[in-house]
Amino acid sequence: MENTYQNTTSCCEDQDLYDISEHPMHSIAWLATVPLTLSIIIAVTIVGNAMVIAAYFRDKRIRNNVANLLILNLAITDFVVGAFIISIDTAWIIKDVWTYGEVFCKIWLDVDFVVTMMSLLTMVLISWDRYCLLTMGMRYKTFQTKKRICVILTISWTVVTLIYTFLAFGWSPITGEYNVDYSQNCEMEFTYNVAATLVINIFEFFIPFTILIILNIAVYSNIKRRSNGTVGQSPSIHASARSPKRSFGPGSPKRVNYHPPDGPSGPVAVSPRRGGDAVEANATSESTDNRADGENSLTRQLSNERDSTSKKEGRTFARHRKAAFVLAILIGCFLLCWLPYQVTSVMYAVCDTDCVSTRLWEVTNLLLWCNSTINPFIYAATNVHFRRNFRKFLLLDRWACDFKNCKLKCQNANQIQVATGSLNDSTVT
């Protein structure tokens, strides 16, 4: 009886030790920082992308731009990442064990891979749209339509969803590989296969990223060539502005010089012409003034046209440079967020948790999802229409108006006080 009690006690102690080792209790500092940080990331991701979506449907000027349909699609994918993907992952991190079962795990992973892949493809499409805008010129409006973009996005969503749904639900039955214990963990089965991980990473990251780099280099090169062309055309414009000073048209007045003939009459023959010379001199002076006024007017007209053309071209190229700068920021953030995950995923497939700790795997996944948190701030900082709507959503315009009104009221009060003081001083005097 005593031996039975000791065996039962030892079994319970072993079970307790197993539970503690498998599911360690988090410290108070960890509970105070990690869940709070994740909650802030979730809130910023949801609110930021929700404002992008609301701005698109609220502002007609944003909807009129065909390219903003791609931004809307990117905001939708990022919103799903914040509202569904990171939220479920946060609950998993806090519990330190997966408790939602196999079916929900596969659905969650399927949505995760689909929206993150669509986010990447949308960035590629944004770069392609910018390249078409620069190279097609006037043909862009007839080529890039909302119908074409909707068809492209529909095909992309369909293909990506089918691929990752097959990988989530069909990989194990086809290959016979069952490596995930869904009562404890939630991962795609193919993540334990090195060859499959490498192939998927190539199609999921390296090929799209290479296309992004090529398109943005082409955009920068096109902008640079067009900017140099604008600078090169300036001398011809200046030359055309100076040309009236060197040549005149058929209708321009000509200088008439009178040379009195030499004859036997000498000075006596010249004297009757003095009045005519004065009249002719006055007429010549008036024609010279008219010609000078005409030249000045033409010069001013050409100068104004040159200035307006230069300003228009300057605004155009500044807009293109700004768009290229936005794309560069998007690519930089994308590389920063995606590359660590790609490296650790290969390491995880090779040696599992022996070379990739659980915390490192969680951090790289979270960093990948944080790309969805950054995108709305890029739009707000670079697109004037989105920025204006964001200011209205956050009531910044109202606060600015209240501040200005308060400032004006203070200035008016000070002016009244000064005027009243001056009036009192004058009354006393």
Side-chain angles (χ1 to χ4, degrees):
M1 190 72 177
E2 184 178 355
N3 293 333
T4 304
Y5 175 77
Q6 291 177 352
N7 293 334
T8 305
T9 305
S10 61
C11 290
C12 294
E13 290 177 353
D14 293 341
Q15 183 67 30
D16 292 339
L17 291 174
Y18 173 79
D19 292 337
I20 293 175
S21 61
E22 288 292 328
H23 312 296
M25 297 297 294
H26 298 296
S27 64
I28 297 177
W30 187 94
L31 292 173
T33 55
V34 175
L36 178 61
T37 304
L38 294 175
S39 300
I40 293 174
I41 293 174
I42 293 171
V44 173
T45 305
I46 293 175
V47 173
N49 289 284
M51 288 194 298
V52 174
I53 297 171
Y56 181 86
F57 290 103
R58 179 182 182 276
D59 198 332
K60 185 177 180 181
R61 293 170 297 182
I62 295 178
R63 293 196 305 273
N64 289 337
N65 190 344
V66 178
N68 288 334
L69 188 60
L70 297 172
I71 295 179
L72 173 65
N73 185 76
L74 185 61
I76 292 174
T77 59
D78 293 340
F79 179 84
V80 174
V81 169
F84 183 64
I85 304 302
I86 307 180
S87 300
I88 298 298
D89 184 71
T90 301
W92 181 14
I93 290 175
I94 294 174
K95 294 179 180 179
D96 205 29
V97 62
W98 181 260
T99 60
Y100 302 106
E102 179 180 353
V103 176
F104 186 79
C105 170
K106 291 182 177 181
I107 294 174
W108 179 69
L109 290 172
D110 187 17
V111 176
D112 176 20
F113 278 82
V114 168
V115 293
T116 50
M117 186 62 190
M118 280 305 303
S119 179
L120 172 57
L121 291 180
T122 305
M123 292 175 59
V124 174
L125 291 174
I126 291 174
S127 300
W128 169 71
D129 176 79
R130 178 57 52 181
Y131 176 76
C132 292
L133 177 62
L134 287 175
T135 55
M136 290 185 175
M138 296 301 295
R139 293 187 296 112
Y140 171 81
K141 292 184 178 180
T142 57
F143 173 80
Q144 197 71 299
T145 60
K146 286 187 177 181
K147 182 178 179 180
R148 182 185 296 273
I149 291 180
C150 288
V151 170
I152 293 174
L153 290 177
T154 302
I155 294 174
S156 300
W157 275 100
T158 303
V159 173
V160 171
T161 302
L162 290 176
I163 291 174
Y164 284 111
T165 302
F166 167 76
L167 291 175
F169 292 92
W171 179 268
S172 295
I174 293 175
T175 61
E177 297 179 1
Y178 295 90
N179 300 312
V180 180
D181 181 9
Y182 292 101
S183 63
Q184 302 290 328
N185 195 12
C186 179
E187 296 293 344
M188 283 282 197
E189 293 283 355
F190 72 82
T191 56
Y192 295 90
N193 188 296
V194 179
T197 301
L198 289 174
V199 172
I200 291 173
N201 284 358
I202 290 173
F203 284 96
E204 186 182 64
F205 174 75
F206 291 102
I207 292 178
F209 184 71
T210 303
I211 296 174
L212 275 175
I213 295 296
I214 294 173
L215 287 174
N216 281 275
I217 290 176
V219 168
Y220 278 115
S221 300
N222 190 287
I223 291 174
K224 187 176 182 180
R225 287 197 306 269
R226 294 179 64 171
S227 300
N228 293 335
T230 302
V231 175
Q233 293 174 0
S234 298
S236 62
I237 298 176
H238 289 286
S240 63
R242 291 193 299 267
S243 59
K245 298 181 180 180
R246 298 192 298 267
S247 62
F248 307 101
S252 59
K254 298 180 181 180
R255 182 180 299 274
V256 179
N257 295 325
Y258 174 74
H259 299 282
D262 295 333
S265 58
V268 178
V270 175
S271 59
R273 298 285 301 169
R274 289 179 182 175
D277 291 341
V279 174
E280 185 177 356
N282 291 333
T284 303
S285 176
E286 291 177 359
S287 64
T288 303
D289 294 338
N290 292 334
R291 186 185 66 216
D293 293 339
E295 292 178 359
N296 293 333
S297 177
L298 182 59
T299 303
R300 285 194 298 271
Q301 182 180 357
L302 291 173
S303 178
N304 293 334
E305 292 178 356
R306 183 178 65 250
D307 293 340
S308 62
T309 303
S310 299
K311 290 179 180 179
K312 184 178 180 180
E313 292 177 347
R315 288 193 298 268
T316 302
F317 292 127
R319 187 164 58 249
H320 290 319
R321 289 192 189 96
K322 184 177 180 181
F325 180 69
V326 173
L327 292 174
I329 294 176
L330 285 170
I331 291 175
C333 294
F334 166 77
L335 183 63
L336 179 64
C337 295
W338 275 72
L339 188 59
Y341 170 78
Q342 300 299 318
V343 175
T344 54
S345 64
V346 176
M347 295 172 61
Y348 190 84
V350 173
C351 54
D352 200 357
T353 56
D354 294 336
C355 53
V356 178
S357 64
T358 303
R359 297 307 176 197
L360 178 61
W361 182 244
E362 292 174 353
V363 169
T364 54
N365 277 273
L366 182 61
L367 188 61
L368 171 65
W369 295 325
C370 282
N371 191 27
S372 300
T373 309
I374 299 171
N375 288 336
F377 293 98
I378 298 176
Y379 306 143
T382 54
N383 190 302
V384 62
H385 298 305
F386 279 109
R387 185 167 61 249
R388 288 173 181 172
N389 282 273
F390 283 13
R391 289 179 62 88
K392 291 180 181 179
F393 294 150
L394 297 175
L395 303 178
L396 296 178
D397 292 335
R398 180 178 298 179
W399 294 342
C401 292
D402 293 340
F403 177 76
K404 291 180 181 178
N405 293 334
C406 180
K407 188 176 181 180
L408 289 174
K409 289 179 181 179
C410 293
Q411 290 178 352
N412 294 332
N414 292 332
Q415 292 176 357
I416 293 173
Q417 184 177 3
V418 171
T420 304
S422 301
L423 181 61
N424 294 332
D425 293 341
S426 62
T427 304
V428 173
T429 304

